[in-house]
Amino acid sequence: MIPTISVFEHSPDRGQGLARDMSVRWAFEEVGQAYEVRQVSLSAIKQPAHQALHPFGQIPTYEEGDLALFESGAIVLHIAEHHVGLLPADPNGRARAIMWMFAALSTVEPPIVQREIAMYMEHDKTWYEKRLPLLEDGIRVRLHQLSSRLGKADWLEEAFSAGDLMMVQVLRRLKTSSVLGEFPNLCAYITRGEARPAFKRAYDAQLAAFIGKPPKQAN
Amino acid sequence: MIPTISVFEHSPDRGQGLARDMSVRWAFEEVGQAYEVRQVSLSAIKQPAHQALHPFGQIPTYEEGDLALFESGAIVLHIAEHHVGLLPADPNGRARAIMWMFAALSTVEPPIVQREIAMYMEHDKTWYEKRLPLLEDGIRVRLHQLSSRLGKADWLEEAFSAGDLMMVQVLRRLKTSSVLGEFPNLCAYITRGEARPAFKRAYDAQLAAFIGKPPKQAN
C-alpha cells in the first residue's frame, strides 16, 4: 500500500524545501518508498477535516491503511523503522541515530524557529532590533556545540542516518542567516546532505508541487 | 546491567521535578527498571568530560554498557522499546504513542520553554511586559488544540503510554502559569499522570536527590 502525505498547496517557503513535508519526502526517497501527495490549502489546514488528522493544524500527515500519523519526526522514524537505509542494524547505533533525531527537533531547532517567529511576528515591534542579536546568540550556542561534536566527520555517527536527515533539514532553515557561515563544517555537512540523490529528488518534487507541476514520485 | 543517568547536583527547579531527568526516572519506574544516578554540578556540566557524553551540555545522559545516550525523549523511547509498559503491542498503536512523544517535545513544549526563557533572560528588558502576553497566546493556541483532541478521554490514545508521559511532563512546566487553568481537561490529565505510582516514586527520588538524601531507586 502506498502511503499518502499531506503538504501545503502553496508552501509559505515558496518551494525552498523548508516546509515539514521535506524531511518526510527525503526519507521516502532514501528508502525507495513511493508515496502519494495530497495538497492542503492554508485555510483547509485549520478546518475540522484536517484537524481530525492533525490536531495542531499543520502538515505533513501520513496515512497508510488504518494508520494516520502527524509530526514529521514521528513519520520519518516510522519510515526508517519499516525500511532499510535510515537506521543502522546494530541496536546501539540505531538508538544513537534516533537520539540525533530528537536532538535536531528538541535542542537545535527551537532557537532557530524562535528567530523565524520573531522575524515574522515581531519585525514591527520596537524591541525587534535589540532582540534579534539575542536570538542569534542562542542559535550560535547550539551550532558551536554541534560543530564541536561533528568535527571533521561526514555524519554525526559512522554513516548517514535519519538523525542526519533531520539535523540537516533543521540547519537548512538557517540558510538565510549569516550565523551559519561561522561554522564551516556545518555548512559542509548541509552541502553533503543536499548532494544526496534522495535529497535532490525530494527537493525537486516539493518544488514541482509549488510551481504547479504534478509532484514527482520516489523511484 | 543497571543503567546510570546523570542528573543535576542542585536542580535549578529546586526539586519540583521539572528538570529533564524526571521523565527518564518516571519511565524507569513505569517499567520497573532499577537505575543508578550520577549527580553533575552546574559547572561540571559544561566541562569536556560531560560534554563528551552530552554535546549540548545538559542532563540527563544514559549509560548502559557501551551505549551512551542523551536527549530525554530518546532515552525514554529507548527504555520504552526495551521493556513492557510504555508502548502498545500493536504496531499502529506503538507508532501513535511515539507520535505523541514527538508532539510533546516538538510542538507543545517550544512555546512553553520560550516563556521560561523570557522570564529568565528578558525579565529586565523594556519589552518584557509587552511580550509576555504574546508568548502566553502562543501557548494558548497549542493548549486549545491539545485540549480539543484529548476531550473527555483519560489519555491521548486508548491507554497510558510514553506519549502521555512526555506530554504530562511538558505540561507540568506550566503549573506556575494561569494559562493552564483555562483548560480543565488538561489540568485533570496532569493530575492523572501525577497520580500514577511510578510518577510519585520518580518525583520522590528527584526530590530526595535535591534535598540531599540518597536518591531512591526503582522498585
Side-chain angles (χ1 to χ4, degrees):
Chain A
M1 186 176 296
I2 295 181
T4 298
I5 62 169
S6 59
V7 307
F8 285 127
E9 188 178 47
H10 296 287
S11 179
D13 77 340
R14 305 188 60 79
Q16 295 179 82
L18 298 177
R20 289 179 191 271
D21 59 303
M22 179 64 197
S23 55
V24 173
R25 290 177 183 271
W26 186 4
F28 278 135
E29 297 287 353
E30 287 284 350
V31 303
Q33 170 65 55
Y35 62 100
E36 303 279 353
V37 166
R38 183 165 45 77
Q39 297 192 346
V40 185
S41 70
L42 289 177
S43 61
I45 216 166
K46 303 298 176 196
Q47 299 305 312
H50 187 75
Q51 296 221 347
L53 278 173
H54 198 317
F56 301 107
Q58 299 175 323
I59 60 97
T61 57
Y62 172 102
E63 293 165 86
E64 183 188 11
D66 55 2
L67 175 63
L69 296 176
F70 59 93
E71 287 290 333
S72 55
I75 298 169
V76 168
L77 181 54
H78 180 76
I79 295 167
E81 286 187 322
H82 289 81
H83 299 83
V84 172
L86 284 172
L87 292 175
D90 87 282
N92 286 0
R94 179 181 177 283
R96 283 192 293 267
I98 295 171
M99 169 187 84
W100 284 112
M101 293 183 68
F102 279 98
L105 292 169
S106 302
T107 299
V108 178
E109 184 179 277
I112 294 173
V113 168
Q114 280 312 305
R115 174 175 168 273
E116 292 171 15
I117 291 175
M119 292 172 77
Y120 183 67
M121 303 277 285
E122 300 181 14
H123 63 273
D124 57 350
K125 305 290 185 193
T126 53
W127 60 76
Y128 179 66
E129 294 298 331
K130 286 186 180 167
R131 241 192 116 233
L132 203 57
L134 302 179
L135 291 166
E136 289 181 340
D137 283 347
I139 295 169
R140 201 170 270 119
V141 168
R142 292 295 176 231
L143 295 192
H144 177 74
Q145 292 165 326
L146 182 66
S147 172
S148 298
R149 170 54 77 100
L150 181 66
K152 295 180 178 176
D154 281 353
W155 308 112
L156 292 166
E157 301 286 335
E158 284 170 30
F160 177 83
S161 78
D164 294 296
L165 186 155
M166 293 308 298
M167 191 67 82
V168 167
Q169 189 58 18
V170 163
L171 295 175
R172 289 186 66 243
R173 303 180 81 113
L174 278 174
K175 290 187 90 171
T176 59
S177 163
S178 61
V179 177
L180 198 54
E182 299 168 23
F183 305 94
N185 69 334
L186 296 183
C187 296
Y189 175 62
I190 296 171
T191 301
R192 272 190 295 282
E194 292 177 338
R196 294 180 70 83
F199 176 93
K200 292 183 179 180
R201 289 193 296 271
Y203 183 90
D204 289 348
Q206 62 80 37
L207 182 60
F210 177 74
I211 61 179
K213 293 177 188 168
K216 284 185 190 177
Q217 299 291 313
N219 304 332
Chain B
M1 185 175 297
I2 295 181
T4 297
I5 61 168
S6 59
V7 307
F8 285 127
E9 188 177 46
H10 296 287
S11 179
D13 78 342
R14 305 187 61 79
Q16 296 180 81
L18 298 177
R20 289 179 190 272
D21 58 304
M22 178 65 198
S23 56
V24 173
R25 290 177 184 270
W26 187 4
F28 277 136
E29 296 287 353
E30 288 283 351
V31 304
Q33 169 66 56
Y35 62 99
E36 303 278 354
V37 166
R38 182 164 46 77
Q39 297 191 345
V40 185
S41 70
L42 289 177
S43 62
I45 215 166
K46 304 297 177 196
Q47 298 306 311
H50 187 76
Q51 296 221 345
L53 279 174
H54 198 315
F56 301 106
Q58 299 174 325
I59 60 97
T61 57
Y62 172 103
E63 294 166 86
E64 183 186 11
D66 55 1
L67 176 62
L69 296 176
F70 59 93
E71 288 289 332
S72 55
I75 297 169
V76 169
L77 181 55
H78 180 75
I79 294 167
E81 286 186 322
H82 289 81
H83 298 82
V84 172
L86 283 171
L87 291 175
D90 85 284
N92 286 1
R94 180 181 177 282
R96 282 192 294 266
I98 295 171
M99 168 187 84
W100 285 112
M101 294 184 67
F102 278 98
L105 293 168
S106 302
T107 298
V108 178
E109 184 178 276
I112 294 173
V113 169
Q114 279 313 304
R115 174 174 168 274
E116 293 170 15
I117 291 175
M119 291 172 77
Y120 184 68
M121 302 279 284
E122 300 180 13
H123 63 274
D124 58 349
K125 305 293 185 191
T126 53
W127 60 75
Y128 179 67
E129 295 297 330
K130 286 186 180 168
R131 244 195 112 231
L132 203 56
L134 302 180
L135 291 166
E136 290 181 341
D137 283 347
I139 294 170
R140 200 169 271 119
V141 167
R142 292 295 176 232
L143 295 192
H144 177 74
Q145 293 166 325
L146 183 65
S147 173
S148 298
R149 170 53 78 99
L150 181 64
K152 296 181 178 177
D154 280 353
W155 308 113
L156 292 166
E157 300 287 335
E158 284 169 31
F160 178 84
S161 78
D164 294 296
L165 187 156
M166 295 307 297
M167 191 67 82
V168 167
Q169 190 56 20
V170 163
L171 295 176
R172 289 186 67 244
R173 303 181 81 113
L174 278 175
K175 288 187 92 172
T176 60
S177 163
S178 61
V179 178
L180 198 53
E182 300 169 23
F183 305 94
N185 69 333
L186 296 184
C187 295
Y189 174 63
I190 296 172
T191 301
R192 271 190 296 280
E194 292 178 338
R196 294 180 69 84
F199 176 93
K200 291 182 177 179
R201 288 195 296 272
Y203 183 89
D204 289 347
Q206 63 79 38
L207 182 60
F210 176 74
I211 62 179
K213 293 178 189 165
K216 284 185 189 175
Q217 298 292 312
N219 303 334

